[in-house]
Structure formats: C-alpha cells, structure tokens
Amino acid sequence: MTIYLAAEKPFARGGNRLCYVHPGDDGLCIKVRRPDFTLADRRRKKGFPKNLKPLSSFDDNLEEARVMASLQARYGELVFLHVSQCYGFVDTDMGRGLVSQLVRDDSGAISQTLKKVIWDEGFTEECRQAVGELGQFWMNNLVPSRHLLLHNIVVQRDSQGRIKRLVVIDGLGSPGLLPMRLLPPLVQRRKIEKKIAVMHERIQTLLGQRHLASFPGYHGLLMHDGLSSQ
Ligand SMILES: Nc1ncnc2c1ncn2[C@@H]1O[C@H](COP(=O)(O)OP(=O)(O)O)[C@@H](O)[C@H]1O
Ligand SMILES: [Mg+2]
C-alpha cells in the first residue's frame, strides 16, 4: 500500500530528508529523501575517496534502520528513553520512507529541537540538567553516534512545559570505518566523551550567536507544529 505524502506539508526538513506526520497515525513520522538532494547528489558532494562507496551507504534511512535494530537488540527498550524508536520502511509516493516514533510534547505539539530551545531561552538550569542526563546515558550505554548536533536532538516537555527528556532523532551509528562495539571499551568511552565535549562546544557557540537578529541556518526549525496545519 502506498502512503501519499507529496500533497502534505512536511513538518521539518533536514539536510537530507523531509519529515512528515504519518497520515494514518499522528504518533509516527515518516522520513523520505529530499527530492532536491538525491543519494547521487550526496555522493558527488562528498568527493574522493568517499564517493567510491556504494550509493546505498549514503542512505540515512537504511543506516538509521540498521543501527536502531542493533541498538534494540543490544539494550532492549531502555534505549528508547533517549532515542526515537524506529518501525521500519513503508512505500510512499516520495519513495521509501522510514517510520519512527514522532516525539511530541504533552500539549500535542511536535517537540522542538535543542537548538531552537537554547536559541529561545538560553541554557537554563533545567536544560543543562537534561543535557547532562543525555550525556550520562550516552556514556553509560556507549551508544554509537556521530556528532550530537543540536538540531538532531529534540526536547520533550510535559503539560506544565517542563522538560521531560531529550531524544536523539538522527545521527546514530558508528562514524568510523569500524563499528564502535568492536573497539575496546576504553576507546569507545574516549570517543563518546569527545562527542559530549563537542556538543557542549556547540551549545557555547550557539549561546554566542543569540544576539544575532535571526536563527542561524534553517536546521532545527519546524515548518509546522503537527497540530494546526495537518
Ligand atoms: N522522530 C522525530 N520526532 C520529532 N521531530 C523529529 C523527529 N525526526 C525528525 N524530527 C525533526 O525533523 C528534523 C529533520 O529530521 P532529521 O532526521 O534530522 O533529517 P536529516 O537526516 O535530513 O537531517 C529534525 O531536526 C527534527 O526537528
Ligand atoms: Mg538531521
């Protein structure tokens, strides 16, 4: 069965994918490749020698599905505290889409990115604590990920507007040639410490940009809140 998305408005656009609320279940999102930035475009942009890799290796949806399955097998449900759960592929009129849990606040609105929250509010004590918890979770479980980018983390809030948890929605998997789990635990820990340190550097950079008139870049802003414009 084909799911029709092309006529819908995506709620977000990342560097590679468009994200839609699942037309049949508003608790799920479907991510499809951006038609204006194909896998071949992406491979071309990488240049030599990365452009020698097969086209499928540039597909975030495939990579994300693979990593999610291995994380679930390794850690069970626990991992979905801070990672959005993934439910496999569906056919859409925009190509194969990856279905995952759509993170919403208790108000029903789609949760905002950490980048947007820090841009709007600064690095509040509550936010600092939530970032600390995420870092601790990443260390305790040695979750393989690329850099923890502020637009790839969403901030879920309760009905009072308090932060419940941070959820990583993109950028999972081993960045290097070797899968992380094959590295000695000490090396894994070092790598994760580095990822967390870089995340804090990015927070500081963003804080330093708050005097600017407009939000830096378009990554991290939602195109609708998932309530009104469906
Ligand atoms: N499961 C999700 N729940 C809530 N928001 C999401 C979810 N997945 C993606 N988003 C939003 O969509 C944006 C783009 O999604 P992302 O998966 O990062 O795409 P890309 O691979 O193109 O970077 C994110 O910055 C985030 O705001
Ligand atoms: Mg992203």
Side-chain angles (χ1 to χ4, degrees):
M1 196 188 77
T2 302
I3 297 178
Y4 294 95
L5 297 177
E8 306 285 326
K9 186 175 174 196
F11 70 87
R13 182 180 60 177
N16 299 297
R17 297 178 288 184
L18 290 176
C19 304
Y20 292 87
V21 177
H22 192 307
D25 184 342
D26 62 14
L28 298 176
C29 77
I30 306 183
K31 300 187 188 189
V32 294
R33 272 218 71 77
R34 274 173 49 180
D36 59 329
F37 189 56
T38 63
L39 286 182
D41 293 334
R42 188 170 186 208
R43 177 162 69 180
R44 248 190 313 276
K45 204 174 152 194
K46 285 287 177 195
F48 186 80
K50 281 204 170 154
N51 59 6
L52 297 178
K53 297 206 310 192
L55 212 51
S56 60
S57 70
F58 294 88
D59 187 339
D60 292 283
N61 270 355
L62 271 182
E63 169 75 355
E64 197 163 291
R66 198 184 54 74
V67 172
M68 289 292 191
S70 84
L71 284 177
Q72 188 165 13
R74 228 167 123 202
Y75 305 110
E77 300 299 307
L78 169 87
V79 75
F80 300 122
L81 199 59
H82 292 291
V83 168
S84 60
Q85 186 157 5
C86 188
Y87 299 102
F89 289 94
V90 288
D91 283 322
T92 82
D93 57 350
M94 300 189 66
R96 238 154 61 106
L98 184 64
V99 179
S100 52
Q101 178 208 19
L102 176 57
V103 184
R104 289 181 184 263
D105 295 346
D106 284 0
S107 68
I110 297 172
S111 298
Q112 297 285 349
T113 62
L114 183 58
K115 181 174 171 186
K116 172 81 163 83
V117 168
I118 293 177
W119 171 260
D120 286 347
E121 302 173 5
F123 201 28
T124 59
E125 185 46 42
E126 187 192 23
C127 192
R128 196 182 300 271
Q129 218 172 320
V131 167
E133 263 166 43
L134 178 70
Q136 200 57 54
F137 183 87
W138 238 236
M139 279 302 287
N140 291 347
N141 296 291
L142 300 175
V143 182
S145 72
R146 307 210 164 78
H147 278 303
L148 292 162
L149 303 178
L150 307 184
H151 53 264
N152 286 337
I153 301 172
V154 299
V155 180
Q156 190 179 42
R157 296 180 187 272
D158 68 13
S159 56
Q160 314 289 315
R162 282 185 304 247
I163 298 177
K164 290 212 295 198
R165 58 176 182 148
L166 302 189
V167 186
V168 177
I169 50 78
D170 182 27
L172 292 163
S174 307
L177 287 175
L178 265 186
M180 267 269 281
R181 68 193 151 72
L182 297 183
L183 300 171
L186 187 66
V187 178
Q188 292 188 41
R189 272 201 286 280
R190 289 265 153 75
K191 284 185 179 286
I192 290 176
E193 268 164 14
K194 175 82 185 145
K195 295 269 159 13
I196 294 167
V198 172
M199 173 174 63
H200 279 279
E201 281 167 24
R202 286 175 194 268
I203 291 173
Q204 291 310 316
T205 304
L206 180 61
L207 288 172
Q209 292 171 324
R210 284 185 78 224
H211 66 280
L212 298 174
S214 56
F215 189 76
Y218 72 86
H219 293 303
L221 292 179
L222 293 179
M223 298 160 85
H224 67 77
D225 65 5
L227 287 175
S228 45
S229 22
Q230 283 177 61

